[in-house]
Amino acid sequence: MDKSSIREDFPILSRRINDAPMIYLDSAATSQKPQVVIDKITDYYTNTNANVHRGVSSISVQATDEYEQARGKVAKFINAESDRQIVFTRSTTESLNWIANGYAKDRLMPGDEIVISVAEHHSNIIPWQQVAASTGAKLKYVQVNDEGQIDLHDTKRQITDKTKIVSMAMVSNVMGATNPVKEVTNMAHAVGAKMIVDAAQAAPHMPVDVTDIDCDFLAFSGHKMLAPTGIGVLYGKMDVLDEMDPVQFGGEMIDIVSRQSATFQPVPHKFEAGTPNIAGAIALGTAIDYLNSIGMDNIHEYEEQLTQSCMQEMQKIDGITIYGSDDFKHHNGIITFNIKGIHPHDVATGLDLQGIEVRAGHHCAQPLMDYLEVESTVRVSFYFYNNQDDVKRFIEALINVKEFFANGNRQDESII
């Protein structure tokens, strides 16, 4: 992996923030985009802007071909058996909501159980809260262990013969821990429950194999893996997708419409009502081509090296608490921390003044914040376009922030 040439592929990495070279360390929120993806979006709107599946014109046929080719690239990327198992959505959030409302809601009864973990993103909590409230099902939470992973012993306790749905993240968006979703899938299937995997933080950073995991559904977003915002993926086994009801209705997803009724297209088109995000899907295909050219194993290994270097230096700084495992291999490019006596937002602001872009807040994981007994944290998240110089500058900037506040300076004074 040629690290120097890779950085040149991302035009935004050359910009400056507060008169300092920008160091982008917030890829868990959204990744930056390589020029090839930006060019693909421009190319679509410049040369192929037409609706898909609806015309016989040359550009409509071309747009349809590229859109469906992107679906095939996604299927291959996660080792799905068929591209028909890939549904394009707007985001991981929308995918999970469609599963909750299009599949689970009509199949749950009072007394049934939904099992998730305390470490889930709000997108994998609130839909299940709503479904539980409307069906009378019981929402149960699995705890996490000291390593930041879901506790498998507690998982076994929580999954019972009343469990119908289990939904968990493959990688935590807060602590970066990889969860044993394959083992949890086996537990869910042993009691006849369906397993849903939130792969939003996994798909950009490591190989994801839905056939090996054997999950019933899996969701992820394009914008965290080099593609534009507004394009997401919902994978499902064919039997559950055939059973699942669409939650949006209109053009394209229909087969025959009479005055009083309608029939729908086969999977996956029955879920994609209206004009889809054509450019987004095509650009996602280009992003996958780019990731494949580097290799997901290479990306994962390289991010581990960055995480190791960063954690080792952070652990030398007094007053820093890193949440999750002490082992860098259990963080997947994400380091969440606090500095004693300094509010996370002040830390993030101090870093921003030096051109370092990180995330501070509850990271859409308030139940986990409660579990950690904090209101918010600072999160650093790497991607393969970062390098060891980024790590060095971050550590230097972090020390500056700590010393600035230790000296009793006010927030409005410069730390540069």
Side-chain angles (χ1 to χ4, degrees), residues 60 99 114 212 218 235 265 295 299-300 325 403:
S60 178
I99 297 165
I114 305 165
D212 180 61
L218 182 136
Y235 157 84
Q265 292 273 15
I299 289 171
H300 185 62
S325 177
E403 291 178 349

Side-chain angles (χ1 to χ4, degrees), residues 37 40-45 47-55 59-71 74 88-90 227-232 252 272-286:
V37 169
K40 192 62 180 179
I41 298 168
T42 302
D43 176 71
Y44 168 76
Y45 284 116
N47 298 307
T48 324
N49 183 31
N51 218 324
V52 293
H53 304 138
R54 301 181 186 180
I59 58 172
S60 178
V61 170
Q62 183 179 348
T64 300
D65 287 345
E66 291 193 33
Y67 182 78
E68 292 301 331
Q69 285 170 14
R71 195 190 306 275
V74 173
F88 285 127
T89 66
R90 291 187 303 167
T229 55
I231 186 69
E252 184 54 37
E272 297 177 7
T275 299
N277 183 355
I278 305 168
I282 292 171
L284 173 59
T286 300

